[in-house]
Amino acid sequence: AARLAADDPAAPRSAAAVLVPLVRRADGLTLLLTRRTDTLRTHAGQVSFPGGRIEDDDDGAVGAALRETQEETGIAPAFVQPLGYLDAFDTISGYCVSPVVGLVEPDFALAPDPAEVSAVFEVPFAYILAPGRMQTTRIPWRGAQRRIHEFDYAGHRVWGATAAIILNLIQRLEAVQ
């Protein structure tokens, strides 16, 4: 019943935050992503941004995004300069996710939590911006067709909420040009 309630737009949602980490590299910006372990209860094996539920002692969405990023990847908050927010995203699993865009200095050290993260990787932002890279497709979901966005990079399928958040970032960047 809880899964069905999560699909209801009127159902209460848990507040969560993710960091959308843009890493400064010598040859341009990259987007840092994680691959969740195959043993997690939800979204096992999926590519995602570091993040999770906003806890009572977090300093809002930014505090939660920075805390979760450090817990999942080992990247300390001192290496991240928060820049702003993207549109909140309601997931089918019952969360209202606040994406926090952050500029990450490149000399961070990775220490992924093996209980949560099986891989941390970076995608060149220019790769993501290539015309036609982001695809829209439909998948069956509970007897109906659901539209999703997706792209592949180095054997990783980036789709669902993660791809939708990336698309929102791209749309925001296009709007200021």
Side-chain angles (χ1 to χ4, degrees):
R3 290 288 283 170
L4 294 175
D7 287 338
D8 177 0
R13 298 190 172 274
S14 297
V18 296
L19 183 68
V20 180
L22 297 170
V23 182
R24 292 184 204 205
R25 296 290 178 198
D27 54 350
L29 287 176
T30 65
L31 189 62
L32 185 135
L33 295 165
T34 66
R35 183 179 181 283
R36 296 169 56 87
T37 62
D38 292 329
T39 57
L40 289 174
R41 188 173 57 85
T42 59
H43 308 293
Q46 292 182 5
V47 171
S48 66
F49 291 113
R53 185 183 305 267
I54 299 174
E55 303 293 341
D56 290 339
D57 56 347
D58 286 327
D59 186 14
V62 171
L66 293 175
R67 175 185 54 76
E68 288 281 349
T69 297
Q70 185 167 22
E71 288 174 6
E72 293 176 15
T73 69
I75 298 173
F79 288 91
V80 182
Q81 177 188 355
L83 300 176
Y85 298 95
L86 296 173
D87 297 337
F89 187 85
D90 289 337
T91 69
I92 61 173
S93 53
Y95 290 92
C96 178
V97 178
S98 296
V100 177
V101 178
L103 193 57
V104 181
E105 293 301 323
D107 50 347
F108 59 84
L110 284 177
D113 177 353
E116 291 189 61
V117 176
S118 65
V120 178
F121 62 98
E122 295 177 40
V123 181
F125 206 65
Y127 177 90
I128 297 168
L129 293 175
R133 180 75 62 212
M134 186 75 71
Q135 300 292 312
T136 302
T137 189
R138 294 194 178 274
I139 61 169
W141 179 255
R142 300 212 168 126
Q145 292 291 308
R146 185 177 190 92
R147 187 176 70 123
I148 63 161
H149 305 286
E150 67 180 340
F151 69 93
D152 290 310
Y153 179 76
H156 298 284
R157 180 181 181 222
V158 181
W159 67 287
T162 302
I165 291 168
I166 293 169
L167 182 59
N168 184 223
L169 176 61
I170 292 168
Q171 291 166 337
R172 292 276 187 97
L173 293 172
E174 289 172 345
V176 295
Q177 290 184 358

